[in-house]
Amino acid sequence: MILVCGIPSETSIVRLAQALEQLGASWFMLNQRRVSQSAIEIGVSAAAELEGTLEHDGRSLALNEITGVYLRFMDDRFLPEVRDEPLQSHTRAHSRAFHDLVPQWAEVARARVINRYSAMGSNYSKPYQLQLISQQGFSVPETLVTNDPERVLSFRAEHGRVIYKSVSSERSIVSELDDEALSRLHRIRWCPVQFQAYVEGDDVRVHTIGERAFATRIRTAATDYRYARRQTGAEAEFEPFDLGAELADRCVALGASLGLDMAGIDLRVSPEGEAYCLEVNPSPVYSYYEAQTGQPMAIAVAEYLMGRGETLTGRTAARTQYQNSTKAAVPDSLTVR
Amino acid sequence: MWLIVCSSVDHSALWMHERLQARARAPAALLLVEGLADVRIRWRHAVGRSGTSVTLRLPDGNEVSSAELRGVVNRLVTAPLVLLDAVEPEDRDYATNELTAFTASWLHALAPTVINAPTPHGLVGRWRLPLEWRVLGRRSGLRTPDLHLTCTAPGDVLSESDQPSTTLLAIDGHVFDQRASSSVQRAVARFSAMAETRVLGLRFEGEDPSANGWSLLDATPYPDLTLAGDAGVEALEQALTG
């Protein structure tokens, strides 16, 4: 049984639902907007390592029957059914507890999960994630995080075109360090800011799903293609892109090293053909790219959740680092999915 | 050189610093989080083709540089958030996230060996919820008390906090207690590996864990470092030496 968690009308879920139907999968929609008709019980006991039941919309499901999970909850505080509730209301408390427990169970469930919350954390710090990416053999943009304006000026003199963006996963518009931005440079003394050498080339978004990779090239003159119209007045253009076997394999390995069963890897491919990895999105909206190009990602997600193909997420970067540093054998019992 | 990064009220980390200094296997310096809350510090943290580096130029002119550090004992639970006192209220959440994210990155890059390494789920190592600790315990071969969680009655775990318990230090999968049999030691080694955390405090049921069958309640990546005395110091030295 495959469990799909989120808002049924959300595009990624609509497409996944269609794919699961097309493939004849046994699946169950956990509509978080019906949280008041939902309950979960989880048990750890001498008799069972992990067991429990999920009640939803009049149906009851044994947690041990679930072998695949697509976990895409929106922040439950903003659900229309919850947002206007008083702080101490039963509805709000029930919703909070339910939305806490489902991911807790998914964290340790012996199921394929796209994605566990623990794996979705690496991009909370972009330079931290960049270190993990670099350890996987990818070129990364030259990056400086500093609160020293003079150091920034030296960095710009060395690299020419420089962009700046947030250090954390707070969404920010990637912007170029131009003369106007330089006039505000003294403000960085209060909190270090991330600067990067601009890498010329085309943006390529790679979605890895298990051991498969789908690459989409985005052509635009904008610094940040998500804001192409705002920055250039023209929409970005999307097309399927051939990564080649070696780079595709490296992308799959990168996603797996971060513990991500599905990842959105942002590459910039230079005119010389060198692929730089800018960052990895742990909660990619694949449907946007699928709609632009027709690449069959929803089917791939469905097939993966149905148990087809290999799962590679057994070795997270932290696990690899732990093993390298302690020479300890890391049991696979947590990673059998 | 080794570096202990901690708060001025983290007495067990300060004790560890003193012991490492006294044993003198390597110079051991101290960096207090309170000292990091100073806008006069110049930060330089680079990631790129030539690897990663961190340099802090302190107000007194001294530098802390990743180029000179072999190992770090990381005890930072939070970033130096006092720095944000002057930040406008509407920007505070953003600034807190930025500073925490930056702290995780420079801590990770500070030395070849950082114990515990920062994670997305805790600067001092990964914090986990009781359900995860219990399942990890089961899968590693330790006994754990039953646990029952529901979204209507989240009180089960809270009620356990009043029970007698004993916390033991584990470093690189070795728990420091003479009563622990070899099978318990092997289970703890598996547990530590699955938790991917080199320094752990393991909380067992009862005042004598062996009398309760080594029943694991939960664990912490931020234990009291004095729990194992000099045996713990020696183990940490070995861990730092790699």
Side-chain angles (χ1 to χ4, degrees):
Chain A
M1 175 65 76
I2 293 163
L3 182 67
V4 179
C5 307
I7 309 283
S9 59
E10 201 260 322
T11 318
S12 300
I13 290 180
V14 170
R15 286 178 176 266
L16 174 59
Q18 289 168 347
L20 289 166
E21 286 294 324
Q22 186 181 329
L23 294 171
S26 174
W27 70 284
F28 185 77
M29 180 73 224
L30 197 171
N31 178 358
Q32 66 177 130
R33 294 197 60 182
R34 302 178 78 88
V35 63
S36 63
Q37 292 142 64
S38 310
I40 185 169
E41 288 192 16
I42 308 169
V44 179
S45 69
E49 173 190 277
L50 183 64
E51 61 183 354
T53 54
L54 176 68
E55 309 279 343
H56 183 69
D57 242 358
R59 279 188 68 180
S60 179
L61 200 62
L63 294 177
N64 286 343
E65 291 175 13
I66 298 170
T67 53
V69 184
Y70 188 74
L71 192 55
R72 194 170 175 82
F73 279 147
M74 71 169 279
D75 188 334
D76 64 290
R77 291 172 302 172
F78 303 114
L79 289 171
E81 293 74 19
V82 175
R83 67 185 172 210
D84 296 326
E85 286 286 322
L87 283 177
Q88 305 301 326
S89 83
H90 171 77
T91 300
R92 184 180 286 277
H94 173 81
S95 174
R96 189 80 292 279
F98 182 79
H99 285 93
D100 267 348
L101 283 181
V102 173
Q104 274 191 55
W105 162 78
E107 197 62 42
V108 287
R110 292 188 186 275
R112 292 185 175 191
V113 181
I114 295 177
N115 278 318
R116 287 180 169 81
Y117 281 14
S118 63
M120 291 168 67
S122 73
N123 84 330
Y124 93 111
S125 169
K126 289 171 183 166
Y128 168 82
Q129 189 194 58
L130 217 53
Q131 294 176 60
L132 303 182
I133 292 168
S134 180
Q135 286 167 9
Q136 293 300 313
F138 276 88
S139 296
V140 297
E142 294 298 321
T143 299
L144 173 69
V145 190
T146 187
N147 64 347
D148 186 342
E150 289 179 16
R151 185 61 61 173
V152 178
L153 295 175
S154 302
F155 187 75
R156 191 186 189 221
E158 182 181 355
H159 296 290
R161 206 171 165 190
V162 167
I163 57 103
Y164 62 98
K165 59 184 182 181
S166 61
V167 177
S168 70
S169 56
E170 290 282 322
R171 199 170 197 196
S172 66
I173 300 175
V174 180
S175 304
E176 191 158 350
L177 184 66
D178 54 16
D179 290 342
E180 191 277 329
L182 283 175
S183 70
R184 293 179 281 117
L185 195 57
H186 62 280
R187 295 189 191 172
I188 72 170
R189 289 190 188 281
W190 294 94
C191 190
V193 171
Q194 177 175 221
F195 300 88
Q196 276 184 343
Y198 182 81
V199 178
E200 297 282 351
D202 288 331
D203 286 303
V204 175
R205 161 57 75 92
V206 183
H207 289 94
T208 60
I209 302 160
E211 55 187 350
R212 300 173 70 178
F214 297 87
T216 307
R217 177 160 58 188
I218 303 105
R219 291 184 185 274
T220 176
T223 312
D224 187 335
Y225 70 78
R226 298 170 302 176
Y227 304 96
R229 174 163 285 283
R230 190 190 304 180
Q231 292 182 341
T232 68
E235 298 289 357
E237 296 173 9
F238 296 72
E239 61 186 9
F241 181 75
D242 183 5
L243 285 175
E246 187 273 334
L247 183 54
D249 286 349
R250 265 200 293 148
C251 287
V252 167
L254 172 60
S257 76
L258 297 174
L260 295 165
D261 293 71
M262 180 179 189
I265 299 173
D266 287 326
L267 301 180
R268 175 85 42 90
V269 180
S270 74
E272 296 76 32
E274 182 170 5
Y276 288 79
C277 184
L278 308 182
E279 63 181 280
V280 180
N281 185 327
S283 185
V285 185
Y286 73 86
S287 52
Y288 175 65
Y289 301 85
E290 182 177 82
Q292 302 279 348
T293 63
Q295 291 167 295
M297 289 183 258
I299 287 285
V301 173
E303 288 180 338
Y304 182 75
L305 292 173
M306 292 168 73
R308 299 181 189 173
E310 293 294 314
T311 177
L312 306 172
T313 47
R315 297 204 174 277
T316 65
R319 176 166 296 200
T320 304
Q321 186 181 48
Y322 179 92
Q323 190 162 18
N324 289 343
S325 57
T326 62
K327 314 292 188 290
V330 181
D332 285 335
S333 57
L334 247 191
T335 66
V336 178
R337 291 170 192 165
Chain B
M1 179 185 283
W2 293 334
L3 181 71
I4 290 83
V5 187
C6 66
S7 148
S8 64
V9 296
D10 184 350
H11 299 296
S12 81
L14 298 175
W15 173 85
M16 181 61 74
H17 172 239
E18 285 177 10
R19 294 302 304 139
L20 291 173
Q21 272 193 320
R23 292 164 63 93
R25 283 192 57 187
L30 187 66
L31 185 63
L32 297 177
V33 65
E34 290 83 357
L36 297 176
D38 190 326
V39 294
R40 294 173 300 167
I41 295 177
R42 289 290 166 263
W43 290 92
R44 194 166 76 241
H45 173 28
V47 184
R49 215 174 268 280
S50 52
T52 62
S53 63
V54 185
T55 304
L56 298 71
R57 204 173 79 226
L58 303 172
D60 63 7
N62 287 323
E63 281 196 349
V64 176
S65 170
S66 56
E68 295 171 7
L69 294 172
R70 283 169 44 212
V72 169
V73 178
N74 166 34
R75 298 279 291 183
L76 278 198
V77 179
T78 67
L81 299 178
V82 176
L83 270 174
L84 305 181
D85 281 354
V87 172
E88 297 294 332
E90 62 268 27
D91 292 332
R92 181 164 283 261
D93 284 350
Y94 176 80
T96 299
N97 287 338
E98 288 288 288
L99 198 57
T100 302
F102 175 58
T103 303
S105 190
W106 69 256
L107 272 173
H108 187 264
L110 199 51
T113 302
V114 179
I115 301 172
N116 288 325
T119 75
H121 305 280
L123 285 177
V124 74
R126 182 169 164 185
W127 301 96
R128 295 172 191 264
L129 294 163
L131 175 66
E132 284 184 73
W133 290 126
R134 298 282 173 94
V135 173
L136 285 184
R138 283 293 163 97
R139 290 178 182 171
S140 63
L142 289 166
R143 286 185 56 192
T144 63
D146 291 354
L147 178 66
H148 181 246
L149 300 171
T150 78
C151 55
T152 49
D156 267 9
V157 177
L158 293 177
S159 64
E160 284 177 354
S161 59
D162 294 335
Q163 296 176 5
S165 64
T166 302
T167 301
L168 300 175
L169 185 66
I171 297 179
D172 280 347
H174 180 83
V175 65
F176 293 89
D177 190 296
Q178 292 183 340
R179 296 165 292 189
S181 66
S182 58
S183 65
V184 169
Q185 288 288 4
R186 284 196 298 274
V188 169
R190 287 190 292 269
F191 180 84
S192 299
M194 285 195 284
E196 299 165 356
T197 309
R198 300 186 70 176
V199 174
L200 280 168
L202 306 181
R203 194 165 70 96
F204 293 97
E205 270 191 309
E207 291 172 356
D208 176 0
S210 63
N212 285 282
W214 296 92
S215 180
L216 183 77
L217 289 166
D218 53 30
T220 172
Y222 186 67
D224 180 345
L225 295 175
T226 68
L227 283 172
D230 265 6
V233 180
E234 189 175 340
L236 197 54
E237 282 176 342
Q238 286 179 2
L240 288 169
T241 306

